[in-house]
Amino acid sequence: MRAVITGATGFIGSHVTDLLIERGYEVCCIIRPTSNLRWLKDKKVELVEAELHDQERLNEVCKGAHYIIHCAGAIAAHNLEDFIRHNKGATEHMLRAALTTAGTLKRFVHLSSMAVCGPAQSRSDVLHSTSPCMPITAYGISKLEAEKAVHNAMGRLPITIIRPPAVYGERDEATLSFFAMIPYHIVALIGFGEKWISMVHVSDLVRGLVDAMESDATIGNTYFLSSGEQYNWDHIAEVSASVMNVRAFKVRLPHSVVKLVGALSQLFTRFHTRPAVFNYEKAIDFVQQYWLCSIEEAQRDFHFQPRVDLREGLERTIQWYRAQEWL
């Protein structure tokens, strides 16, 4: 079976690629000329250069594909227009390419985000696949627009949507800064009240994604994939420090300070080619109290069962960071 994947050079996409290889798929990775191939080096994959806005080239690459997994997307952009172009626009091009597969396509998997829904209202009122979508950032809006494009194609293509919450694990650079201060006996926490989040180790996420891809019961459906647990940042900090065998002191940053830092970061990179990953909108994400979702639908439809608990996941992640000399 031939699987075509976008975003294979990224954190999540590279792990999806590894699992596809493990399960015996013939894997084709769509890459850009400037892509960093460090996670694909010496692996049994076909590397094809193509821009995600080059429709003719995408049609050629996807021809005869049995599975298409669309993991690529922008997590940082200068404005909503750029987010829409990268997230919605690229998704529309991949969907058009999928329509040219001449009947071979068994599944199109779209990797979305919890950001399409916005935060939950409380610990008991968590997000489900049927929850109303109320994104609070430009990124969330753009991912929702991409989902709308996917929904418009559902009558013509066998599609499954996966929405991860906070993802952590080996190869993740986004959460590295959280761990980087712990060896100095400091852990930074946002705000003075408890903040609750759903998380998933990348190995559980990609296994769930590929299992959903292979199940007929998931066609036309949307799923959250998490550990199934609720965590607050105090507990995450305590477990992280314990894993690193460090006594870390908690430093709490007021919401106003976090927003100010985000705004300044956004201002200073306004005219740079690369936008700031941490900006005012990311700060808005961070100050929310409940980023919580349910895996009930995934458990029901394809028997998704997370395997990696928080401590094991953090141990694996921190050991990998140390092996790479990132910590």
Side-chain angles (χ1 to χ4, degrees), residues 38-255:
R38 56 185 169 171
W39 311 135
L40 300 179
K41 188 177 179 181
D42 300 325
K43 291 181 179 175
K44 191 178 177 182
V45 296
E46 176 189 2
L47 301 177
V48 178
E49 289 188 4
E51 295 291 344
L52 294 185
H53 298 280
D54 184 344
Q55 192 65 65
E56 185 176 342
R57 180 63 170 149
L58 292 178
N59 293 352
E60 179 184 336
V61 174
C62 291
K63 185 177 181 181
H66 299 98
Y67 297 93
I68 297 175
I69 305 99
H70 181 43
C71 294
I75 59 171
H78 287 296
N79 50 49
L80 176 59
E81 182 179 318
D82 283 350
F83 269 126
I84 293 288
R85 181 167 60 87
H86 287 293
N87 291 334
K88 179 186 179 184
T91 301
E92 289 177 326
H93 284 288
M94 287 304 299
L95 289 166
R96 293 190 193 107
L99 289 168
T100 70
T101 54
T104 61
L105 191 71
K106 295 178 178 293
R107 193 66 52 87
F108 183 103
V109 180
H110 176 66
L111 185 66
S112 188
S113 168
M114 183 193 283
V116 302
C117 288
Q121 298 303 305
S122 69
R123 288 189 64 189
S124 58
D125 187 18
V126 301
L127 299 172
H128 290 261
S129 61
T130 55
S131 296
C133 293
M134 296 183 288
I136 59 174
T137 62
Y139 169 72
I141 292 169
S142 71
K143 294 296 284 186
L144 177 57
E145 289 301 310
E147 275 201 20
K148 289 178 180 178
V150 172
H151 278 282
N152 288 338
M154 278 188 175
R156 295 168 290 165
L157 292 169
I159 291 172
T160 301
I161 298 173
I162 301 296
R163 291 176 181 164
V167 187
Y168 71 104
E170 302 87 329
R171 303 177 191 161
D172 180 27
E173 296 180 76
T175 58
L176 177 61
S177 58
F178 175 78
F179 301 103
M181 295 301 293
I182 296 177
Y184 300 96
H185 305 280
I186 295 173
V187 59
L189 299 176
I190 296 172
F192 296 92
E194 287 188 334
K195 288 181 171 53
W196 294 86
I197 66 168
S198 293
M199 296 174 64
V200 63
H201 186 268
V202 66
S203 64
D204 276 336
L205 171 63
V206 301
R207 179 174 48 80
L209 184 151
V210 177
D211 285 351
M213 180 187 83
E214 294 177 338
S215 169
D216 291 338
T218 65
I219 294 176
N221 295 331
T222 299
Y223 301 97
F224 285 105
L225 298 181
S226 80
S227 70
E229 302 292 333
Q230 297 183 358
Y231 306 107
N232 65 59
W233 280 103
D234 287 81
H235 179 60
I236 296 168
E238 289 162 5
V239 176
S240 300
S242 174
V243 168
M244 298 175 78
N245 197 27
V246 171
R247 184 180 179 186
F249 299 93
K250 298 171 185 174
V251 176
R252 297 192 178 274
L253 305 175
H255 288 180

Side-chain angles (χ1 to χ4, degrees), residues 74-80 82-83 136-140 142 174 190 255-270 274-288:
I75 59 171
H78 287 296
N79 50 49
L80 176 59
D82 283 350
F83 269 126
I136 59 174
T137 62
Y139 169 72
S142 71
I190 296 172
H255 288 180
S256 57
V257 171
V258 175
K259 292 177 183 178
L260 176 61
V261 172
L264 291 174
S265 174
Q266 185 169 323
L267 178 63
F268 291 151
T269 59
R270 188 172 183 179
R274 284 186 79 167
V277 174
F278 181 72
N279 56 20
Y280 183 76
E281 289 205 333
K282 184 60 71 174
I284 294 298
D285 273 348
F286 284 176
V287 302
Q288 302 305 310

